[in-house]
Amino acid sequence: MNLELINNKIQEMLPEKRYKHSLNVADCAVKLSEIYGCDKEKAYIAGIAHDCAKYLNKDEVKYYVDKYKIVLDEIEKDNLALSHSLIGSYIAKYEFGINDKDIINAIKYHTTGKEDMNLIEKIIYIADLIEEDRDFPGVEELRDLVYNKELDKALLISFNNTIKFVIENNQLIHNRTVDARNYLIKNKIL
């Protein structure tokens, strides 16, 4: 894994503002790794690479889906806001040479979450939401929780907020987000 090569490829793939966001997510993920005892290098790589597929056009999406035989579910089809995480996990593996399963899965699930997330998956999911340039109602509450060792509580709030937002916008809710939320509640992690 050549970090400089990965960084250069991502910089080429993303507009400047999104590249800055990716740097912020990587930096935030490293800070969270120090708090929660996660591998900082893995967190940085997952953070910098998490949105590598975010700005693909339809032809590029088709190219990668066909090339790597990616199976998008009914909700992900024609929805780059959701599918970029899955497609990005393949790009990270096959185009960037990232073979670490933890990093690949952190990229893969950073948009929807999933049931029984591991630590790096949680860190990348939440770092994407709370990086320093994010500004939305409730972001300070999430930051306070996360930086005060209440990661699972912050995750539950963020899943609830995502589900509310999707409902208010009359969109489909991805099952993985519901499963992630329900897992936290069922297992009394809070």
Side-chain angles (χ1 to χ4, degrees):
M1 247 182 324
N2 181 331
L3 189 54
E4 188 177 341
L5 177 77
I6 293 166
N7 205 8
N8 290 340
K9 285 186 176 190
I10 290 164
Q11 197 166 8
E12 289 170 14
M13 296 177 82
L14 299 177
E16 190 176 330
K17 187 176 181 183
R18 183 55 56 164
Y19 177 66
K20 184 175 187 313
H21 162 72
S22 295
L23 288 173
N24 287 347
V25 171
D27 290 343
C28 182
V30 169
K31 286 180 200 166
L32 296 179
S33 293
E34 290 169 354
I35 294 169
Y36 292 98
C38 187
D39 184 305
K40 290 187 274 194
E41 184 181 5
K42 283 185 182 188
Y44 183 87
I45 293 167
I48 196 78
H50 82 284
D51 270 350
C52 63
K54 182 88 173 178
Y55 286 87
L56 299 178
N57 63 40
K58 283 190 186 254
D59 290 338
E60 291 167 324
V61 168
K62 183 177 178 356
Y63 168 78
Y64 286 117
V65 166
D66 291 346
K67 181 177 182 179
Y68 298 120
K69 297 175 178 34
I70 300 169
V71 178
L72 299 175
D73 64 32
E74 287 305 310
I75 298 176
E76 292 166 330
K77 285 180 183 166
D78 299 318
N79 185 344
L80 192 58
L82 285 179
S83 66
H84 80 275
S85 54
L86 178 58
I87 296 166
S89 71
Y90 282 84
I91 290 172
K93 182 171 184 172
Y94 296 109
E95 305 285 321
F96 301 167
I98 299 171
N99 291 310
D100 186 288
K101 189 176 180 182
D102 288 336
I103 296 171
I104 298 300
N105 283 340
I107 295 168
K108 186 178 194 175
Y109 299 114
H110 85 266
T111 304
T112 60
K114 73 175 188 71
E115 186 174 5
D116 195 14
M117 295 169 78
N118 69 23
L119 183 58
I120 192 169
E121 290 164 353
K122 290 176 180 183
I123 284 174
I124 298 305
Y125 181 92
I126 206 75
D128 187 26
L129 290 174
I130 67 165
E131 59 93 343
E132 66 183 39
D133 286 343
R134 290 288 199 186
D135 184 23
F136 58 86
V139 72
E140 287 303 327
E141 178 190 8
L142 292 177
R143 286 182 183 127
D144 288 345
L145 288 168
V146 171
Y147 287 115
N148 287 296
K149 296 197 171 191
E150 296 275 2
L151 179 58
D152 287 332
K153 190 171 184 181
L155 285 167
L156 180 61
I157 290 168
S158 69
F159 292 139
N160 287 343
N161 290 342
T162 297
I163 291 167
K164 287 176 201 168
F165 177 83
V166 171
I167 289 169
E168 287 167 4
N169 287 280
N170 221 19
Q171 298 170 337
L172 297 172
I173 302 169
H174 202 284
N175 296 344
R176 282 193 300 266
T177 306
V178 174
D179 292 344
R181 177 193 179 273
N182 289 348
Y183 181 86
L184 290 174
I185 292 172
K186 277 193 290 190
N187 288 281
K188 297 182 180 34
I189 288 176
L190 306 177

